[in-house]
Each structure stands twice: as C-alpha cells, then as structure tokens.
Amino acid sequence: KLGVERNISYVLFLPENKQKYNELLEDELRSNKSISIRPLSIHREVSLKDIFLINEVLKFRNFNQIISIGPKSLLLNFLISLLNVNTNNVHLMTGQHWSSMKRMTRSFFIFLDRILLSQMNLVVCDSNGQCRILKSLGIYSTPLAPPNGSIKGCLSKNLVKIPKLHTFSNNNIVIGYIGRLNLDKGLQDLEDFMESTSSNRYNFLIAGPVEDFDFKDLVKAKSNVHVVGFVTDVDEFYAAIDILVLPTYREGFGSVVIEANSYGIPVVGR
C-alpha cells in the first residue's frame, strides 16, 4: 500500500532454498504492483561464491535504499555501498552468527562484521540485548532497537478454535520446538532430554526444515515424539503444544518467543 500511495517501488531478493516460504509470500504480495520478487541463490553456509551474487543485485542499478537481513545479505549490502555511494544502506541485525564459533574463527568474523557494518548508514537490532553486544565488542557504536520488545511481532489469537497440527493419543503435556533443525539450535541437548524422559509424562512435537540434524532414530524408538517438518500455519502448531522450548546456543531475539507468549504458551530457554 505504501508503494502505491507514495510511488515507491520495491525489489525483494529471496533465497531460492526457502521455496515454501517464498510461495506464501508471493501469494500475499502478488496484487501489489510496486513489489518485484527475485530469487537469489544464497545459502547459510560460508562461501566466497556468494560475492558473485552481487551481479544479480546490480542488474537493478537505481536503488535509493538497500535493507539487508542476515550475514550474507549484509555482505552484498556492503559491496553495493562501495560501488554506489548514493545508496542509503540499512542492516537489520537479528543474531550473532559467530557466537558459537571457536576462538580464532569467532574473532575473525567479529572483525568482519565490524568492517561490513562500518559502511551502513543505519543498523537496527532486533532487541536492546543485541545492541549491548554490538557496543561491548566494538562492532558498531550506535545501533538502534525498539525501547521494549523486538522488531519482530505477531498478532495474538485465541487458539481454542484453531485445529491442532497433531493430536497425541494421551493427555500428557506436549513440549514443542519450532525452527531450523540445526545443531546450533541446541537440538542435541533436546534429543538427550527427550531420550531421558518417560513416555508417560511428556509428548514432543518438532516442527521445522531439516538442515544438519534430524530426529529419525528417536522417532522410531519413541512413540511420544512426532516430527512434522516445515509448517506453513504456525497457529496449528501452537494450538497443539503446552510448552515451547528454545535450546539454541545463540539467538538474537527469537520470534518464536513472541509468538508463543502471544498465545499464552510458556517458553523454556537456555
């Protein structure tokens, strides 16, 4: 609506590996003629090949402002800032991708973030805690954040009338996890906990795309563990659980915390 009213046009570069999410987003935005969506072959793993993605971005040369989210898009934003001095460059900082790395590697990526962010006109953190980390490590001296809460948000809903994503055959407490199935998310610790608990006390509902971790063996061994993969309707997931766990080793301000709290579901974090 803003684009139509103020004659602003937007180009969204979306990762090709987020196909299901992209399809949902395209359905929502298709009617807005001021928005153009372009796929970008970008992945979470560190790779120098991503530098060449700038060629795809620079096909659209008349940008007035670039807004990036995530480490890879920050790199592209930085390169564009060097090639186009008239562009206003903004980065949304949503986590510390280097926090669980070993000492020398961690120091290198902190130094790299310091260089990349130095070219930004504005850095917005997802929470005040994130701002404090950037300042304390000398990465960026003047980041902004909302006075309370996070830049992320969601609408509160009554889960009573929402169908459950999965129904267990007993009345045990249902513990849920939703997010990427990745070791950085602390899922090995979650699996250890699941193995050590009695099937007569808890059920576990796991949702999210598989990256470098899965629960296949545990699903076969325990009837109280159910894995559903990528979820398009998070309402149905939250309607099916009693407690949300967030065992991640690093997190800026996880949107799942806000989502769960908006539904009145307690969250247990590390």
Side-chain angles (χ1 to χ4, degrees), residues 157 159 174-176 234-245 256-268:
K157 296 181 181 179
L159 296 179
V174 180
I175 297 176
V234 296
D235 293 343
E236 295 182 354
F237 168 79
Y238 288 109
I241 68 171
D242 301 302
I243 299 171
L244 180 76
V245 291
V256 294
V257 175
I258 302 173
E259 290 170 353
N261 283 175
S262 73
Y263 299 126
I265 295 171
V267 179
V268 178

Side-chain angles (χ1 to χ4, degrees), residues 148-168:
N148 295 297
S150 168
I151 58 173
K152 304 170 186 176
C154 61
L155 298 175
S156 297
K157 296 181 181 179
N158 187 343
L159 296 179
V160 174
K161 297 181 180 180
I162 297 175
K164 294 182 178 181
L165 182 64
H166 179 76
T167 303
F168 291 91

Side-chain angles (χ1 to χ4, degrees), residues 71-90:
K72 293 291 187 65
S73 59
L74 171 59
L75 173 61
L76 296 181
N77 200 345
F78 171 80
L79 294 173
I80 291 170
S81 73
L82 298 179
L83 296 171
N84 187 352
V85 294
N86 296 319
T87 302
N88 189 44
N89 303 84
V90 179

Side-chain angles (χ1 to χ4, degrees), residues 171-182:
N171 294 320
N172 293 347
I173 293 173
V174 180
I175 297 176
Y177 167 86
I178 184 168
R180 295 180 294 114
L181 302 193
N182 186 292

Side-chain angles (χ1 to χ4, degrees), residues 45-158:
E45 298 78 13
V46 176
S47 172
L48 291 176
K49 294 180 181 179
D50 293 318
I51 294 175
F52 298 103
L53 292 174
I54 195 170
N55 293 325
E56 296 297 317
V57 178
L58 288 179
K59 289 178 182 177
F60 304 85
R61 293 183 178 274
N62 298 321
F63 288 128
N64 300 109
Q65 180 164 286
I66 302 287
I67 301 175
S68 55
I69 305 174
K72 293 291 187 65
S73 59
L74 171 59
L75 173 61
L76 296 181
N77 200 345
F78 171 80
L79 294 173
I80 291 170
S81 73
L82 298 179
L83 296 171
N84 187 352
V85 294
N86 296 319
T87 302
N88 189 44
N89 303 84
V90 179
H91 183 66
L92 304 184
M93 197 81 175
T94 59
Q96 310 99 35
H97 61 99
W98 33 258
S99 64
S100 58
M101 295 177 179
K102 293 183 178 179
R103 187 172 180 178
M104 292 297 293
T105 306
R106 183 176 184 270
S107 297
F108 170 76
F109 278 100
I110 287 175
F111 173 75
L112 185 60
D113 268 358
R114 192 175 293 136
I115 298 298
L116 299 181
L117 291 175
S118 69
Q119 286 295 114
M120 298 298 108
N121 300 100
L122 177 65
V123 175
V124 180
C125 295
D126 57 0
S127 66
N128 280 294
Q130 187 83 256
C131 285
R132 288 193 293 271
I133 291 172
L134 294 187
K135 291 177 182 178
S136 66
L137 294 175
I139 296 174
Y140 196 82
S141 59
T142 57
L144 298 179
N148 295 297
S150 168
I151 58 173
K152 304 170 186 176
C154 61
L155 298 175
S156 297
K157 296 181 181 179
N158 187 343

Side-chain angles (χ1 to χ4, degrees), residues 175-177 181 190 194 204-208 215 225-229 237:
I175 297 176
Y177 167 86
L181 302 193
L190 178 58
M194 292 157 69
F204 296 92
L205 183 61
I206 310 297
F215 294 91
V225 178
H226 188 73
V227 179
V228 295
F237 168 79

